[in-house]
Amino acid sequence: MDSDGTRDARGTHANPVPRARSDMPPMPSQAPGRPPLPDNSAFLTWLRTPRPETLPGVWRFGHRPRPEAEPALIPGRQLISGALIAFLVGWLVWSLLQNGYVGQWWWVPLLLITPDSWRGPDGALGRTGTALLYTGYKVLVALIIMVVVGKLGRWGEVWRRFGPPAWRGAVPAQEPPPAPEQDPAEWPQLRAAGAVDAAERLAAEARAGQMRDVDHARIARAWQGVRSGRFGLGTFTGAVLQDGAAACLHPSGERDLPTRLARHDLLTGQVRLGTTADDARNPYAYRGTGLGLGPELLGTSLLAVGPAGSGKTGTVIRPLAESLCLHALAGRAAVVVIGAAGAGLGPADAYDVVVQIGNPESVYDLDLYGGTSDPDEAAAVLAEALVGDLAEPHQGGDTRRSTTVLAQLLGPFRSVHGRFPSVPELRQLLDGAPGPMAALRKGLEDSRQESLLRELDARERQMGNPGDVGGILADRVALLDRPAFAGFFDTSGQSRPFSLKALDHPVRVRIDLPQRGHADASRMLARLVLAQFTASVAVREDRSLFACLVIDDATGVVTPEAVRGVQRLRSGNAGVVLTLRTLDDVPRPLRGPLLGATGCRMALSGLTPWDGQDFAEVWGKEWIEARDVTDRQIIAETPAGKVLHAVRRVITGKAPTARAVTVRQVERERWSASELAHGVPPGHAVLSLTTVKGEHAPPLLVDLRG
């Protein structure tokens, strides 16, 4: 039984490359980057660590919430000088009292509350008792003076900030062990539903160190399937009793990734990308916290913009792809990652399907028509891929004419041959080659397909007209009709084409594009996959499975139809992750709609001021408190005042002035174009977040290296 309650044969891998035999060092016991196998303490500690509900984007694992507003802290120099001055004042007051410079009035309270017989050496208390009475009163007065000056001098705050409490540092509080009915390691939700035997088996394997974080997430996902009614309780219980922590495996049979480079928390679904900088421009509640992204944020799509070398692939794309692959192993997500060959998107063993377009050794092919049997749907997707970048660059632009031309050929061809045309056949039909057109007409006439004959007649009448787009389509198809792609996009059934219709299953896919020497073809294929993705997720049966498309370098991919497709993904529990070197790679009319369609926007260091201006506009402005300080020269009117001012000028070198402070509310950009271009340190980024529920996080300065 799979994690989603079904069985699937996907997940075939290419044959591994044999290792060299000679003097290679011995293989380590586990892959680098992967956490050690959990034992009966490490895994249980991870599972029981608190994960409080907090603001969007905060790494929840072990998070300790901070106040919303920053407490008013007095500068250290001012604090220490104030404490010292308060001590000197208290010492002065005590000296004046002791030496009688202020009279004997401070003895009045003692005289009022004690009888006359207690005072004097011959009193009722005796010499020793009288001495103790007067000494005790002095100590009481000294303590009162110390308390008063300590309050005024803030001695308590000095002790907390500079005393032993600050030396020891923050010691994490030990969480008490949870009660058995609240211990997640005991699977209380299974016990409450009557699956006590399954809960006992899982709890025993967790205590014995036989369970990983992926196992816990996968079984929890399968239990959600039981509660939603996708399959029965008996099936789930039987699988758990038989296989324990290995129950409900992913179709590939894998229980973890070969390597992990980022920190993941599958209990919350987050991956840690870095640390929010302790910067005054960040809200106080975010400063110094970890930055964690999960499906609840990626469901609104993410756009990252930064020049080459700013860390888009290594610090953003690779951790997100790794996290989504772990979610797929847990049965929660389906992921498709697109990038240039050798871009560092993860090892091939981390994916179920690796499509290496242009590589003869590739096990899988790419379905040019998205696995559909509807000619109109195939024509719409293919037209977007071929000429989507030539559409009018505004929200009203479309590719309807190109879709009509392709539909006029794809429908008749499928009716005659039972399949869609291959790339060479499609190119010939778009060029209007006499032989293929005549053969197609004869096949339609023999089968008496009158409606399709009319489609073919309309195509033939349009050929050669000045406004016909068939020639443009043929030129674009010619980019795929190259010797390097001769074995790809096969429609005869001889290859193993991958179709995005597989997004109903928790599949992990990596598509390597032939960027070197085929840049135009690579951009066209990226548009094709994006169009197929947006079309496929809209018709999925199981939308509880999060689907995500990750495109490393989306240059030439953003079109009017693509922007409209991204806007529709949130309702289908899907999202895309796009990276760009600069917003100049997107037509000017589409930049605003693209930034508006993506809920999470990231500007990495090295951004140009022109790109920064677009981000500054979409992030808007905020009201802040501005303080204007004005120094006004003081004019002395009396002779003594003039002498005093002259002496002050000689000592300080400046004329006496009076300072006036004006506080007012002003509206200012959250991040200006200049700050984004010149104020973001290397390895940092400014990121704004939006969840699928509509919660927002303002632009945050994030250290992606932390």
Side-chain angles (χ1 to χ4, degrees), residues 188-222:
Q189 65 272 31
L190 271 66
R191 298 178 187 273
V196 179
D197 294 339
E200 290 289 349
R201 174 69 187 274
L202 294 175
E205 298 219 349
R207 289 190 295 267
Q210 301 297 321
M211 183 176 289
R212 299 178 173 90
D213 54 354
V214 178
D215 298 331
H216 184 277
R218 186 184 64 251
I219 295 173
R221 164 71 178 177

PDB file of all heavy atoms in Angstrom, residues 188-222:
ATOM      1  N   PRO A 188      -1.175   8.724  19.987  1.00  0.00           N
ATOM      2  CA  PRO A 188      -2.486   8.758  20.664  1.00  0.00           C
ATOM      3  C   PRO A 188      -3.663   8.803  19.696  1.00  0.00           C
ATOM      4  O   PRO A 188      -4.749   8.326  20.033  1.00  0.00           O
ATOM      5  CB  PRO A 188      -2.391  10.036  21.505  1.00  0.00           C
ATOM      6  CG  PRO A 188      -1.339  10.876  20.841  1.00  0.00           C
ATOM      7  CD  PRO A 188      -0.360   9.910  20.274  1.00  0.00           C
ATOM      8  N   GLN A 189      -3.465   9.361  18.479  1.00  0.00           N
ATOM      9  CA  GLN A 189      -4.582   9.417  17.548  1.00  0.00           C
ATOM     10  C   GLN A 189      -4.995   8.032  17.076  1.00  0.00           C
ATOM     11  O   GLN A 189      -6.180   7.772  16.818  1.00  0.00           O
ATOM     12  CB  GLN A 189      -4.237  10.326  16.350  1.00  0.00           C
ATOM     13  CG  GLN A 189      -3.103   9.820  15.468  1.00  0.00           C
ATOM     14  CD  GLN A 189      -1.748  10.264  15.953  1.00  0.00           C
ATOM     15  OE1 GLN A 189      -1.543  10.435  17.151  1.00  0.00           O
ATOM     16  NE2 GLN A 189      -0.820  10.468  15.028  1.00  0.00           N
ATOM     17  N   LEU A 190      -4.031   7.111  16.954  1.00  0.00           N
ATOM     18  CA  LEU A 190      -4.369   5.744  16.585  1.00  0.00           C
ATOM     19  C   LEU A 190      -5.072   5.027  17.728  1.00  0.00           C
ATOM     20  O   LEU A 190      -6.037   4.271  17.512  1.00  0.00           O
ATOM     21  CB  LEU A 190      -3.109   4.973  16.181  1.00  0.00           C
ATOM     22  CG  LEU A 190      -2.686   5.027  14.713  1.00  0.00           C
ATOM     23  CD1 LEU A 190      -2.274   6.434  14.319  1.00  0.00           C
ATOM     24  CD2 LEU A 190      -1.565   4.035  14.434  1.00  0.00           C
ATOM     25  N   ARG A 191      -4.601   5.275  18.948  1.00  0.00           N
ATOM     26  CA  ARG A 191      -5.233   4.629  20.105  1.00  0.00           C
ATOM     27  C   ARG A 191      -6.674   5.107  20.264  1.00  0.00           C
ATOM     28  O   ARG A 191      -7.565   4.310  20.596  1.00  0.00           O
ATOM     29  CB  ARG A 191      -4.430   4.934  21.362  1.00  0.00           C
ATOM     30  CG  ARG A 191      -2.995   4.402  21.321  1.00  0.00           C
ATOM     31  CD  ARG A 191      -2.227   4.782  22.579  1.00  0.00           C
ATOM     32  NE  ARG A 191      -0.823   4.409  22.468  1.00  0.00           N
ATOM     33  CZ  ARG A 191      -0.340   3.219  22.792  1.00  0.00           C
ATOM     34  NH1 ARG A 191      -1.159   2.287  23.245  1.00  0.00           N
ATOM     35  NH2 ARG A 191       0.946   2.968  22.677  1.00  0.00           N
ATOM     36  N   ALA A 192      -6.894   6.421  20.038  1.00  0.00           N
ATOM     37  CA  ALA A 192      -8.259   6.938  20.180  1.00  0.00           C
ATOM     38  C   ALA A 192      -9.209   6.346  19.151  1.00  0.00           C
ATOM     39  O   ALA A 192     -10.411   6.241  19.401  1.00  0.00           O
ATOM     40  CB  ALA A 192      -8.241   8.463  20.066  1.00  0.00           C
ATOM     41  N   ALA A 193      -8.670   5.942  17.983  1.00  0.00           N
ATOM     42  CA  ALA A 193      -9.514   5.366  16.938  1.00  0.00           C
ATOM     43  C   ALA A 193      -9.649   3.856  17.064  1.00  0.00           C
ATOM     44  O   ALA A 193     -10.309   3.230  16.224  1.00  0.00           O
ATOM     45  CB  ALA A 193      -8.950   5.715  15.565  1.00  0.00           C
ATOM     46  N   GLY A 194      -9.016   3.254  18.066  1.00  0.00           N
ATOM     47  CA  GLY A 194      -9.147   1.815  18.271  1.00  0.00           C
ATOM     48  C   GLY A 194      -8.028   0.981  17.695  1.00  0.00           C
ATOM     49  O   GLY A 194      -8.037  -0.245  17.868  1.00  0.00           O
ATOM     50  N   ALA A 195      -7.041   1.590  17.010  1.00  0.00           N
ATOM     51  CA  ALA A 195      -5.927   0.840  16.431  1.00  0.00           C
ATOM     52  C   ALA A 195      -4.804   0.742  17.459  1.00  0.00           C
ATOM     53  O   ALA A 195      -3.681   1.226  17.246  1.00  0.00           O
ATOM     54  CB  ALA A 195      -5.454   1.503  15.141  1.00  0.00           C
ATOM     55  N   VAL A 196      -5.082   0.096  18.592  1.00  0.00           N
ATOM     56  CA  VAL A 196      -4.118   0.036  19.691  1.00  0.00           C
ATOM     57  C   VAL A 196      -2.919  -0.817  19.302  1.00  0.00           C
ATOM     58  O   VAL A 196      -1.764  -0.472  19.610  1.00  0.00           O
ATOM     59  CB  VAL A 196      -4.797  -0.501  20.961  1.00  0.00           C
ATOM     60  CG1 VAL A 196      -3.792  -0.592  22.113  1.00  0.00           C
ATOM     61  CG2 VAL A 196      -5.975   0.387  21.352  1.00  0.00           C
ATOM     62  N   ASP A 197      -3.151  -1.930  18.612  1.00  0.00           N
ATOM     63  CA  ASP A 197      -2.045  -2.808  18.236  1.00  0.00           C
ATOM     64  C   ASP A 197      -1.068  -2.093  17.301  1.00  0.00           C
ATOM     65  O   ASP A 197       0.153  -2.212  17.452  1.00  0.00           O
ATOM     66  CB  ASP A 197      -2.582  -4.066  17.567  1.00  0.00           C
ATOM     67  CG  ASP A 197      -3.392  -4.923  18.529  1.00  0.00           C
ATOM     68  OD1 ASP A 197      -3.205  -4.751  19.754  1.00  0.00           O
ATOM     69  OD2 ASP A 197      -4.206  -5.744  18.060  1.00  0.00           O
ATOM     70  N   ALA A 198      -1.598  -1.362  16.328  1.00  0.00           N
ATOM     71  CA  ALA A 198      -0.725  -0.614  15.414  1.00  0.00           C
ATOM     72  C   ALA A 198       0.050   0.463  16.162  1.00  0.00           C
ATOM     73  O   ALA A 198       1.249   0.672  15.908  1.00  0.00           O
ATOM     74  CB  ALA A 198      -1.559   0.008  14.293  1.00  0.00           C
ATOM     75  N   ALA A 199      -0.606   1.148  17.110  1.00  0.00           N
ATOM     76  CA  ALA A 199       0.086   2.176  17.880  1.00  0.00           C
ATOM     77  C   ALA A 199       1.193   1.564  18.727  1.00  0.00           C
ATOM     78  O   ALA A 199       2.289   2.132  18.840  1.00  0.00           O
ATOM     79  CB  ALA A 199      -0.913   2.926  18.762  1.00  0.00           C
ATOM     80  N   GLU A 200       0.944   0.398  19.326  1.00  0.00           N
ATOM     81  CA  GLU A 200       1.974  -0.254  20.132  1.00  0.00           C
ATOM     82  C   GLU A 200       3.169  -0.655  19.275  1.00  0.00           C
ATOM     83  O   GLU A 200       4.325  -0.502  19.680  1.00  0.00           O
ATOM     84  CB  GLU A 200       1.384  -1.489  20.823  1.00  0.00           C
ATOM     85  CG  GLU A 200       0.386  -1.176  21.926  1.00  0.00           C
ATOM     86  CD  GLU A 200       1.062  -0.595  23.158  1.00  0.00           C
ATOM     87  OE1 GLU A 200       2.300  -0.633  23.235  1.00  0.00           O
ATOM     88  OE2 GLU A 200       0.339  -0.080  24.036  1.00  0.00           O
ATOM     89  N   ARG A 201       2.910  -1.138  18.054  1.00  0.00           N
ATOM     90  CA  ARG A 201       4.018  -1.549  17.175  1.00  0.00           C
ATOM     91  C   ARG A 201       4.861  -0.332  16.774  1.00  0.00           C
ATOM     92  O   ARG A 201       6.101  -0.376  16.810  1.00  0.00           O
ATOM     93  CB  ARG A 201       3.443  -2.230  15.931  1.00  0.00           C
ATOM     94  CG  ARG A 201       4.473  -2.587  14.856  1.00  0.00           C
ATOM     95  CD  ARG A 201       5.391  -3.687  15.306  1.00  0.00           C
ATOM     96  NE  ARG A 201       6.467  -3.932  14.360  1.00  0.00           N
ATOM     97  CZ  ARG A 201       6.382  -4.736  13.297  1.00  0.00           C
ATOM     98  NH1 ARG A 201       5.236  -5.397  13.060  1.00  0.00           N
ATOM     99  NH2 ARG A 201       7.408  -4.915  12.509  1.00  0.00           N
ATOM    100  N   LEU A 202       4.214   0.740  16.418  1.00  0.00           N
ATOM    101  CA  LEU A 202       4.955   1.937  16.016  1.00  0.00           C
ATOM    102  C   LEU A 202       5.709   2.547  17.189  1.00  0.00           C
ATOM    103  O   LEU A 202       6.849   3.003  17.039  1.00  0.00           O
ATOM    104  CB  LEU A 202       3.990   2.963  15.415  1.00  0.00           C
ATOM    105  CG  LEU A 202       3.313   2.561  14.097  1.00  0.00           C
ATOM    106  CD1 LEU A 202       2.288   3.609  13.692  1.00  0.00           C
ATOM    107  CD2 LEU A 202       4.343   2.377  12.994  1.00  0.00           C
ATOM    108  N   ALA A 203       5.094   2.581  18.371  1.00  0.00           N
ATOM    109  CA  ALA A 203       5.773   3.137  19.545  1.00  0.00           C
ATOM    110  C   ALA A 203       6.987   2.300  19.912  1.00  0.00           C
ATOM    111  O   ALA A 203       8.046   2.840  20.286  1.00  0.00           O
ATOM    112  CB  ALA A 203       4.797   3.217  20.719  1.00  0.00           C
ATOM    113  N   ALA A 204       6.867   0.981  19.798  1.00  0.00           N
ATOM    114  CA  ALA A 204       8.006   0.121  20.113  1.00  0.00           C
ATOM    115  C   ALA A 204       9.153   0.352  19.139  1.00  0.00           C
ATOM    116  O   ALA A 204      10.330   0.395  19.542  1.00  0.00           O
ATOM    117  CB  ALA A 204       7.561  -1.345  20.083  1.00  0.00           C
ATOM    118  N   GLU A 205       8.856   0.517  17.854  1.00  0.00           N
ATOM    119  CA  GLU A 205       9.922   0.752  16.876  1.00  0.00           C
ATOM    120  C   GLU A 205      10.544   2.135  17.059  1.00  0.00           C
ATOM    121  O   GLU A 205      11.735   2.322  16.804  1.00  0.00           O
ATOM    122  CB  GLU A 205       9.368   0.587  15.454  1.00  0.00           C
ATOM    123  CG  GLU A 205       8.849  -0.808  15.162  1.00  0.00           C
ATOM    124  CD  GLU A 205       9.186  -1.260  13.760  1.00  0.00           C
ATOM    125  OE1 GLU A 205       9.637  -0.417  12.959  1.00  0.00           O
ATOM    126  OE2 GLU A 205       8.985  -2.461  13.467  1.00  0.00           O
ATOM    127  N   ALA A 206       9.743   3.115  17.492  1.00  0.00           N
ATOM    128  CA  ALA A 206      10.307   4.436  17.770  1.00  0.00           C
ATOM    129  C   ALA A 206      11.265   4.372  18.953  1.00  0.00           C
ATOM    130  O   ALA A 206      12.347   4.973  18.922  1.00  0.00           O
ATOM    131  CB  ALA A 206       9.181   5.439  18.042  1.00  0.00           C
ATOM    132  N   ARG A 207      10.891   3.638  20.001  1.00  0.00           N
ATOM    133  CA  ARG A 207      11.770   3.518  21.166  1.00  0.00           C
ATOM    134  C   ARG A 207      13.027   2.722  20.845  1.00  0.00           C
ATOM    135  O   ARG A 207      14.086   2.954  21.431  1.00  0.00           O
ATOM    136  CB  ARG A 207      11.008   2.868  22.322  1.00  0.00           C
ATOM    137  CG  ARG A 207       9.953   3.755  22.953  1.00  0.00           C
ATOM    138  CD  ARG A 207       9.424   3.139  24.233  1.00  0.00           C
ATOM    139  NE  ARG A 207       8.707   1.893  23.972  1.00  0.00           N
ATOM    140  CZ  ARG A 207       7.407   1.796  23.772  1.00  0.00           C
ATOM    141  NH1 ARG A 207       6.656   2.902  23.791  1.00  0.00           N
ATOM    142  NH2 ARG A 207       6.821   0.631  23.549  1.00  0.00           N
ATOM    143  N   ALA A 208      12.924   1.789  19.910  1.00  0.00           N
ATOM    144  CA  ALA A 208      14.074   0.965  19.546  1.00  0.00           C
ATOM    145  C   ALA A 208      14.969   1.612  18.505  1.00  0.00           C
ATOM    146  O   ALA A 208      15.983   1.029  18.126  1.00  0.00           O
ATOM    147  CB  ALA A 208      13.585  -0.393  19.036  1.00  0.00           C
ATOM    148  N   GLY A 209      14.623   2.788  18.009  1.00  0.00           N
ATOM    149  CA  GLY A 209      15.452   3.464  17.018  1.00  0.00           C
ATOM    150  C   GLY A 209      15.268   2.955  15.607  1.00  0.00           C
ATOM    151  O   GLY A 209      16.152   3.135  14.770  1.00  0.00           O
ATOM    152  N   GLN A 210      14.131   2.339  15.307  1.00  0.00           N
ATOM    153  CA  GLN A 210      13.882   1.797  13.978  1.00  0.00           C
ATOM    154  C   GLN A 210      13.057   2.740  13.100  1.00  0.00           C
ATOM    155  O   GLN A 210      12.689   2.365  11.996  1.00  0.00           O
ATOM    156  CB  GLN A 210      13.132   0.458  14.096  1.00  0.00           C
ATOM    157  CG  GLN A 210      13.875  -0.587  14.894  1.00  0.00           C
ATOM    158  CD  GLN A 210      15.187  -0.969  14.254  1.00  0.00           C
ATOM    159  OE1 GLN A 210      15.287  -1.083  13.036  1.00  0.00           O
ATOM    160  NE2 GLN A 210      16.214  -1.143  15.076  1.00  0.00           N
ATOM    161  N   MET A 211      12.759   3.931  13.589  1.00  0.00           N
ATOM    162  CA  MET A 211      11.890   4.851  12.850  1.00  0.00           C
ATOM    163  C   MET A 211      12.646   6.128  12.534  1.00  0.00           C
ATOM    164  O   MET A 211      13.382   6.662  13.368  1.00  0.00           O
ATOM    165  CB  MET A 211      10.628   5.159  13.666  1.00  0.00           C
ATOM    166  CG  MET A 211       9.627   6.057  12.945  1.00  0.00           C
ATOM    167  SD  MET A 211       8.096   6.300  13.883  1.00  0.00           S
ATOM    168  CE  MET A 211       7.354   4.670  13.737  1.00  0.00           C
ATOM    169  N   ARG A 212      12.470   6.634  11.314  1.00  0.00           N
ATOM    170  CA  ARG A 212      13.053   7.897  10.878  1.00  0.00           C
ATOM    171  C   ARG A 212      11.961   8.969  10.832  1.00  0.00           C
ATOM    172  O   ARG A 212      10.777   8.679  10.972  1.00  0.00           O
ATOM    173  CB  ARG A 212      13.686   7.762   9.492  1.00  0.00           C
ATOM    174  CG  ARG A 212      14.812   6.757   9.392  1.00  0.00           C
ATOM    175  CD  ARG A 212      15.311   6.709   7.952  1.00  0.00           C
ATOM    176  NE  ARG A 212      16.500   5.902   7.782  1.00  0.00           N
ATOM    177  CZ  ARG A 212      16.501   4.613   7.507  1.00  0.00           C
ATOM    178  NH1 ARG A 212      15.356   3.975   7.370  1.00  0.00           N
ATOM    179  NH2 ARG A 212      17.633   3.942   7.361  1.00  0.00           N
ATOM    180  N   ASP A 213      12.403  10.200  10.593  1.00  0.00           N
ATOM    181  CA  ASP A 213      11.422  11.279  10.465  1.00  0.00           C
ATOM    182  C   ASP A 213      10.544  11.080   9.234  1.00  0.00           C
ATOM    183  O   ASP A 213       9.351  11.390   9.256  1.00  0.00           O
ATOM    184  CB  ASP A 213      12.126  12.636  10.433  1.00  0.00           C
ATOM    185  CG  ASP A 213      13.198  12.714   9.349  1.00  0.00           C
ATOM    186  OD1 ASP A 213      13.477  11.688   8.706  1.00  0.00           O
ATOM    187  OD2 ASP A 213      13.763  13.810   9.148  1.00  0.00           O
ATOM    188  N   VAL A 214      11.120  10.537   8.151  1.00  0.00           N
ATOM    189  CA  VAL A 214      10.318  10.283   6.949  1.00  0.00           C
ATOM    190  C   VAL A 214       9.275   9.205   7.224  1.00  0.00           C
ATOM    191  O   VAL A 214       8.139   9.290   6.749  1.00  0.00           O
ATOM    192  CB  VAL A 214      11.225   9.889   5.773  1.00  0.00           C
ATOM    193  CG1 VAL A 214      10.397   9.581   4.531  1.00  0.00           C
ATOM    194  CG2 VAL A 214      12.214  11.003   5.466  1.00  0.00           C
ATOM    195  N   ASP A 215       9.651   8.176   8.001  1.00  0.00           N
ATOM    196  CA  ASP A 215       8.690   7.127   8.338  1.00  0.00           C
ATOM    197  C   ASP A 215       7.521   7.699   9.125  1.00  0.00           C
ATOM    198  O   ASP A 215       6.351   7.373   8.851  1.00  0.00           O
ATOM    199  CB  ASP A 215       9.378   6.039   9.168  1.00  0.00           C
ATOM    200  CG  ASP A 215      10.493   5.352   8.403  1.00  0.00           C
ATOM    201  OD1 ASP A 215      10.396   5.279   7.168  1.00  0.00           O
ATOM    202  OD2 ASP A 215      11.469   4.914   9.040  1.00  0.00           O
ATOM    203  N   HIS A 216       7.832   8.537  10.094  1.00  0.00           N
ATOM    204  CA  HIS A 216       6.760   9.131  10.905  1.00  0.00           C
ATOM    205  C   HIS A 216       5.828   9.971  10.034  1.00  0.00           C
ATOM    206  O   HIS A 216       4.596   9.867  10.141  1.00  0.00           O
ATOM    207  CB  HIS A 216       7.378   9.989  12.013  1.00  0.00           C
ATOM    208  CG  HIS A 216       6.367  10.560  12.955  1.00  0.00           C
ATOM    209  ND1 HIS A 216       5.656  11.719  12.689  1.00  0.00           N
ATOM    210  CD2 HIS A 216       5.932  10.136  14.175  1.00  0.00           C
ATOM    211  CE1 HIS A 216       4.840  11.975  13.687  1.00  0.00           C
ATOM    212  NE2 HIS A 216       4.983  11.037  14.600  1.00  0.00           N
ATOM    213  N   ALA A 217       6.399  10.789   9.147  1.00  0.00           N
ATOM    214  CA  ALA A 217       5.563  11.635   8.287  1.00  0.00           C
ATOM    215  C   ALA A 217       4.751  10.792   7.311  1.00  0.00           C
ATOM    216  O   ALA A 217       3.585  11.099   7.027  1.00  0.00           O
ATOM    217  CB  ALA A 217       6.445  12.630   7.534  1.00  0.00           C
ATOM    218  N   ARG A 218       5.353   9.732   6.790  1.00  0.00           N
ATOM    219  CA  ARG A 218       4.647   8.897   5.809  1.00  0.00           C
ATOM    220  C   ARG A 218       3.470   8.164   6.454  1.00  0.00           C
ATOM    221  O   ARG A 218       2.375   8.093   5.884  1.00  0.00           O
ATOM    222  CB  ARG A 218       5.635   7.896   5.202  1.00  0.00           C
ATOM    223  CG  ARG A 218       5.058   7.077   4.065  1.00  0.00           C
ATOM    224  CD  ARG A 218       6.037   6.042   3.574  1.00  0.00           C
ATOM    225  NE  ARG A 218       6.350   5.051   4.602  1.00  0.00           N
ATOM    226  CZ  ARG A 218       7.508   4.968   5.231  1.00  0.00           C
ATOM    227  NH1 ARG A 218       8.490   5.799   4.951  1.00  0.00           N
ATOM    228  NH2 ARG A 218       7.706   4.031   6.166  1.00  0.00           N
ATOM    229  N   ILE A 219       3.684   7.619   7.643  1.00  0.00           N
ATOM    230  CA  ILE A 219       2.601   6.892   8.309  1.00  0.00           C
ATOM    231  C   ILE A 219       1.510   7.859   8.765  1.00  0.00           C
ATOM    232  O   ILE A 219       0.312   7.544   8.709  1.00  0.00           O
ATOM    233  CB  ILE A 219       3.175   6.082   9.479  1.00  0.00           C
ATOM    234  CG1 ILE A 219       4.118   5.003   8.931  1.00  0.00           C
ATOM    235  CG2 ILE A 219       2.072   5.447  10.301  1.00  0.00           C
ATOM    236  CD1 ILE A 219       4.866   4.244   9.993  1.00  0.00           C
ATOM    237  N   ALA A 220       1.905   9.059   9.203  1.00  0.00           N
ATOM    238  CA  ALA A 220       0.894  10.064   9.567  1.00  0.00           C
ATOM    239  C   ALA A 220       0.060  10.456   8.356  1.00  0.00           C
ATOM    240  O   ALA A 220      -1.156  10.667   8.464  1.00  0.00           O
ATOM    241  CB  ALA A 220       1.582  11.286  10.169  1.00  0.00           C
ATOM    242  N   ARG A 221       0.703  10.544   7.189  1.00  0.00           N
ATOM    243  CA  ARG A 221      -0.034  10.852   5.957  1.00  0.00           C
ATOM    244  C   ARG A 221      -1.003   9.717   5.605  1.00  0.00           C
ATOM    245  O   ARG A 221      -2.144   9.960   5.213  1.00  0.00           O
ATOM    246  CB  ARG A 221       0.964  11.070   4.823  1.00  0.00           C
ATOM    247  CG  ARG A 221       0.375  11.017   3.417  1.00  0.00           C
ATOM    248  CD  ARG A 221      -0.485  12.202   3.114  1.00  0.00           C
ATOM    249  NE  ARG A 221      -0.991  12.126   1.747  1.00  0.00           N
ATOM    250  CZ  ARG A 221      -1.827  13.001   1.195  1.00  0.00           C
ATOM    251  NH1 ARG A 221      -2.253  14.022   1.903  1.00  0.00           N
ATOM    252  NH2 ARG A 221      -2.234  12.860  -0.041  1.00  0.00           N
ATOM    253  N   ALA A 222      -0.547   8.465   5.763  1.00  0.00           N
ATOM    254  CA  ALA A 222      -1.441   7.336   5.498  1.00  0.00           C
ATOM    255  C   ALA A 222      -2.612   7.323   6.471  1.00  0.00           C
ATOM    256  O   ALA A 222      -3.743   6.979   6.092  1.00  0.00           O
ATOM    257  CB  ALA A 222      -0.653   6.032   5.579  1.00  0.00           C
TER     258      ALA A 222
END
